[in-house]
Amino acid sequence: MPAIVLLLALAAAGMQIYSEGAIVRGPVDRKQIALVFTGHEFAEGATAILDVLERRGMKASFFLTGAFLRDPDKAPLVRRMVRDGHYVGAHSDAHLLYAPWTGPKKTIVSREEFVKDLEANYAELARFGITRDQARFFLPPYEWYTTEIAHWTRQMGLTLINFTSGTRSNADYTEEGSPQFVSSDTILHSILTREEQDEHGLNGFLLLLHAGAGPGRKDKFHMRFDELAGKLMERGYSFVRVDVLLR
């Protein structure tokens, strides 16, 4: 049996799909999606995103770096995430790069560097009343990792997760004029097209977006977030925290 067929069969039976030791998709036997937002340097879309989530009664998950959590200007956003009942978890402290972008995929940080950085991230989460037991899912910086990183994560009693591939949602940070730029129209179309073409729709998806893209991108996808949420809700999806999707 081909590996992807086996993985989808397991997901249909209520199990998660893994890649290189990280969970990348939840069970596909129910129409649930986990919206996963990362935050590091920018957060200009966070208030609009939180407003949509509140108005539509949706829950989401926010993975924040220590740098994000230490920024006093972002503190009200973090407190609102917690107050509104969203999952708030770790995304590393200093947004380390764990592996090179090209060539062999090997770990380029030591275990000591990895642990120290992640512990610092959890120390910042604790300042907002978030304990490790409440935030055991960890999303790696740059959404880029190795099997060794997944192993070190497990040794710390945590679970590594990553976004589900197949859409361009994670390209909402790309800047106009760069070769990597992906427009908001293209991102929205890719998500809806995947929903139509995947045998299981978007069931069990970890759909990743960013809390902000910075001044280099004027085509902000958070301005289309309400439209996306409405279209997917019309198709019967509910939006849950990652700890609910993957429990």
Side-chain angles (χ1 to χ4, degrees):
M1 180 183 294
I4 187 61
V5 174
L6 175 60
L7 288 171
L8 287 173
L10 291 172
M15 300 176 70
Q16 294 91 12
I17 295 177
Y18 287 79
S19 176
E20 297 183 280
I23 301 174
V24 296
R25 189 169 184 173
V28 299
D29 59 346
R30 61 189 76 97
K31 292 178 75 70
Q32 291 182 336
I33 297 171
L35 292 167
V36 176
F37 296 92
T38 62
H40 174 47
E41 185 177 3
F42 304 114
E44 74 275 9
T47 297
I49 290 165
L50 288 165
D51 287 347
V52 171
L53 294 172
E54 181 178 17
R55 180 167 52 81
R56 289 190 176 273
M58 303 160 58
K59 296 302 179 187
S61 301
F62 293 85
F63 290 87
L64 310 174
T65 65
F68 188 106
L69 294 161
R70 280 188 292 272
D71 186 340
D73 291 336
K74 297 183 177 69
L77 295 171
V78 182
R79 287 194 290 268
R80 181 178 176 185
M81 292 169 193
V82 175
R83 184 178 67 248
D84 288 357
H86 302 298
Y87 182 97
V88 180
H91 191 47
S92 85
D93 189 66
H95 213 251
L96 301 181
L97 182 64
Y98 293 152
W101 293 114
T102 59
K105 196 174 184 183
K106 60 181 181 180
T107 309
I108 57 174
V109 297
S110 69
R111 186 179 186 279
E112 291 71 23
E113 288 172 322
F114 169 78
V115 171
K116 182 179 179 180
D117 176 81
L118 193 49
E119 292 285 5
N121 195 177
Y122 276 99
E124 293 300 325
L125 287 169
R127 294 196 306 108
F128 291 91
I130 303 163
T131 68
R132 186 173 305 210
D133 283 341
Q134 295 170 324
R136 291 202 170 272
F137 292 103
F138 164 52
L139 186 73
Y142 299 103
E143 298 75 63
W144 191 241
Y145 62 98
T146 65
T147 55
E148 190 170 34
I149 292 295
H151 177 62
W152 292 345
T153 302
R154 288 193 299 273
Q155 288 183 326
M156 293 181 69
L158 307 172
T159 300
L160 194 68
I161 66 170
N162 203 14
F163 67 91
T164 309
S165 62
T167 80
R168 302 308 311 275
S169 70
N170 59 308
D172 64 338
Y173 73 94
T174 55
E175 300 180 354
E176 285 93 345
S178 74
Q180 294 79 27
F181 176 70
V182 181
S183 72
S184 292
D185 278 340
T186 299
I187 291 170
L188 182 62
H189 179 72
S190 76
I191 297 169
L192 298 177
T193 298
R194 179 61 185 262
E195 195 280 330
E196 295 165 356
Q197 295 180 351
D198 191 306
E199 177 185 0
H200 300 287
L202 298 180
N203 293 6
F205 248 65
L206 282 76
L207 190 67
L208 186 136
L209 297 162
H210 293 83
R217 182 183 176 104
K218 296 181 174 60
D219 179 20
K220 307 287 189 181
F221 189 75
H222 71 259
M223 302 301 293
R224 307 292 296 276
F225 176 58
D226 189 40
E227 179 184 356
L228 171 65
K231 288 181 182 296
L232 292 179
M233 292 180 84
E234 288 171 1
R235 299 184 186 194
Y237 290 94
S238 60
F239 297 88
V240 299
R241 293 165 37 136
V242 292
D243 54 344
V244 173
L245 184 75
L246 304 177
R247 63 187 171 191

